[in-house]
Each structure stands twice: as structure tokens, then as C-alpha cells.
Amino acid sequence: MITQIDHIGIAVKDLDKQIKIYSEMLGITPGKTEIIEEQKVAVAMFSVGEIRIELLQATTDDSPVAKFIEKRGEGIHHIAYRVDDIDDRLRILKEKNIVLIDEQPKIGAEGSLIAFIHPKSTAGVLTELCQMNDKGV
Ligand code: CMX
């Protein structure tokens, strides 16, 4: 079951610069910047009510975020939905022939389990499923 929107990912060129701008704009400070090796990104999360804003900077030239910025410039990169059972949700989507980028979950920010759905299946919007870790983060 999808329980809520977990976060909205925004691709940025300069994470430190945007952390300052978003901190001032939102009047809150983000959690600690985290590097997610497997996804080739550095991320900073701002909690805005129940939803989070995730600023994403590429850590390598071949990062999906580097490619996205090269093609489209900075901007909204993906929407992530929180699920209670990511394996079950992936199985259902596969049965319905939705194009999955990840058939198996990977490790995302704060130890969450994540999997991406291809934007060509979801009206041009890169979509992430996200299951919180055992600590509820
Ligand atoms: N949102 C919408 N469309 C996107 C997109 C995005 N974020 N990234 C790429 N696309 C589009 C491209 O514009 C292209 O469209 P056209 O065919 O109309 O030109 C199409 O998808 C395919 O693009 P591509 O350049 O051929 O393929 P890429 O090698 O760029 O791969 C994608 C695209 C989505 C498969 C790849 O970015 C991916 O696997 N993403 C999932 C992982 C990820 O994004 N990780 C970073 C975030 C990690 C995190 O938040 O933890």
C-alpha cells in the first residue's frame, strides 16, 4: 500500500549553494548531507510537514542526476511515494507490465529501501518507491 508522498527530489548543480537558499526560503535546516554511493548522488533532506524535499547533486559525471541536468537543467527530478511493503508493490507493478528500472530494491537515503519506475510508464515523471528503514526513517 502507498501511504503518502515521501519526498520530492530536486536536481541541483551546487548542493551547498541550494542548501543555503532552501534553508532561508523554508526557514528550516536540512538533515546532515548524505552521499548515496550506489545512486551516485549527495543529498540533503528538508522536512516540510509530512513530506520532504530532497536536494540532489551528482557525485560523478555518469550519475543519473548529472545526465538529467545536462539534458534538462536543474529542476524536479522525481517524486517518491512511501510504501509499507516495497517487494509486494514491485511484484504488483511487474504483473501490470509497468516498466521498472529496479526490479529489486536498493539502499537509499537514511538506509531506506528504494526502487525506481521508468518515466515512460508514468507520464514522464520519474517515480520512486521508498520503504522506511527499521528505525522508521
Ligand atoms: N524525469 C523524467 N524523465 C527523465 C528523467 C527524470 N528524472 N531522467 C531521464 N529522463 C528521460 C530523458 O529525458 C529521456 O527522455 P527522451 O527519450 O524523451 O529524451 C528518457 O528519460 C531516457 O533518458 P536517457 O538519457 O536515454 O536515459 P538515462 O540514461 O538518462 O536514464 C533513467 C534515465 C530515468 C532510466 C535513469 O536516470 C535512472 O535509472 N534513474 C533512476 C536512478 C536515479 O535517478 N538515481 C538518482 C536519485 C537517487 C535518490 O534519490 O536516492
Side-chain angles (χ1 to χ4, degrees):
M1 194 172 69
I2 287 181
T3 54
Q4 65 167 83
I5 289 179
D6 184 86
H7 65 266
I8 296 169
I10 300 177
V12 304
K13 288 182 186 163
D14 183 336
L15 187 59
D16 290 337
K17 178 180 162 192
Q18 292 302 334
I19 284 175
K20 277 198 191 114
I21 292 172
Y22 272 75
S23 298
E24 279 164 16
M25 177 181 73
L26 299 171
I28 49 179
T29 49
K32 206 163 161 268
T33 296
E34 185 182 352
I35 291 175
I36 308 170
E37 301 281 357
E38 196 169 7
Q39 296 292 334
K40 301 175 178 170
V41 290
V43 308
M45 289 279 199
F46 292 84
S47 292
V48 184
E50 293 285 307
I51 296 172
R52 297 180 297 167
I53 297 295
E54 179 187 55
L55 301 183
L56 299 152
Q57 182 189 311
T59 52
T60 63
D61 289 346
D62 64 343
S63 162
V65 169
K67 285 190 188 171
F68 176 87
I69 289 180
E70 199 183 303
K71 265 196 172 174
R72 300 175 168 220
E74 292 178 300
I76 294 184
H77 179 262
H78 65 265
I79 296 180
Y81 296 91
R82 192 179 298 171
V83 295
D84 51 8
D85 185 341
I86 195 166
D87 292 315
D88 188 48
R89 182 57 39 188
L90 286 171
R91 185 184 54 74
I92 292 167
L93 295 180
K94 205 174 165 191
E95 277 172 15
K96 294 187 186 301
N97 294 322
I98 306 272
V99 181
L100 304 176
I101 294 171
D102 305 305
E103 294 201 357
Q104 300 297 328
K106 295 181 169 173
I107 302 294
E110 298 168 336
S112 57
L113 291 176
I114 63 171
F116 284 91
I117 301 166
H118 202 284
K120 72 180 172 195
S121 267
T122 43
V125 178
L126 178 61
T127 300
E128 179 184 340
L129 302 178
C130 164
Q131 182 182 323
M132 291 169 127
N133 68 22
D134 294 344
K135 296 182 192 94
V137 182

